[in-house]
Amino acid sequence: MSTKTEELTAMLAPVVEGLGLGLELQGIEFAPSRSHGLLRLYIDVASGERHVTVEDCEAVSREVSAVMDVNDPIASAYTLEVSSPGLDRLIFNAAQATRFAGQQVKVALALPQDGRRRVQGAILRAEGDLLVIGLENGGEFAVSFDNIDKARLVPDYAALGLETAAPKAPRPRRKRAETPNSKSPGTH
């Protein structure tokens, strides 16, 4: 996590939790840009008794906007997005990894490790600053949270009753018949 992301998290987590809606800040993605950056906040219901609503996102957006306007921690223009974590939620820290132990995760590494840039497997555990992933071959892959660019859960749509029909086979492409005097569309 970058210093700016840590600064923004420290500033905004109390704002989200202080709204009295039972929400917590799960994590922040900050993509700075010279002309127009992006600040995305992921919020969740701390108790897990309900889902994040559009009204929750609107309330957080209003409060965060006000705090950001007063403190002005980002020098350039940016877009603020407030989102629920979704089914394929990002894992930002060890506590979240522990909460979702046993579930499948896809991890993109910031720097290659053991010849890999990406890893997929089941979350086994979090040990200190390490995420330990169980691999298909039965092995384990331990990576520091500092070396994780993104870690995202892989939803089991079948278990959720959301499995989609098998994808249709692609239709074969037909070649257009060309005659020696035919012209391409739009040419004269």
Side-chain angles (χ1 to χ4, degrees):
M1 193 181 316
S2 74
T3 305
K4 180 55 86 175
T5 304
E6 290 171 356
E7 173 190 333
L8 292 168
T9 300
M11 178 192 311
L12 300 176
V15 174
V16 172
E17 293 163 11
L19 287 173
L21 299 173
L23 300 171
E24 63 185 4
L25 182 62
Q26 291 291 296
I28 290 178
E29 288 182 310
F30 177 57
S33 172
R34 290 178 199 233
S35 60
H36 200 88
L38 174 66
L39 175 61
R40 184 176 295 131
L41 279 63
Y42 292 95
I43 60 173
D44 204 359
V45 177
S47 65
E49 294 175 1
R50 65 179 182 87
H51 297 288
V52 173
T53 65
V54 171
E55 292 78 18
D56 292 331
C57 292
E58 290 172 347
V60 169
S61 181
R62 276 192 303 275
E63 279 303 307
V64 165
S65 290
V67 169
M68 295 293 286
D69 287 346
V70 169
N71 293 306
D72 200 24
I74 300 175
S76 64
Y78 64 92
T79 298
L80 171 64
E81 291 182 9
V82 179
S83 176
S84 69
L87 293 175
D88 61 343
R89 71 174 53 228
L90 290 169
I91 301 296
F92 291 96
N93 56 46
Q96 292 170 13
T98 300
R99 177 178 169 195
F100 295 102
Q103 294 195 30
Q104 289 289 308
V105 66
K106 280 186 181 179
V107 178
L109 303 176
L111 299 171
Q113 180 178 324
D114 299 336
R116 298 177 145 200
R117 290 290 305 219
R118 299 189 191 305
V119 180
Q120 183 170 337
I123 298 173
L124 295 179
R125 63 191 172 278
E127 293 177 346
D129 71 334
L130 294 178
L131 173 63
V132 182
I133 301 166
L135 303 175
E136 273 188 19
N137 65 8
E140 293 183 359
F141 188 88
V143 60
S144 168
F145 278 97
D146 288 341
N147 192 30
I148 294 176
D149 185 37
K150 274 193 182 176
R152 186 177 293 277
L153 290 183
V154 179
D156 183 351
Y157 292 109
L160 295 167
L162 301 172
E163 188 170 33
T164 59
K168 293 180 183 178
R171 294 187 339 193
R173 295 183 142 203
R174 290 191 220 170
K175 280 190 163 182
R176 288 181 29 180
E178 292 186 29
T179 60
N181 293 330
S182 68
K183 295 180 181 176
S184 298
T187 61
H188 300 288

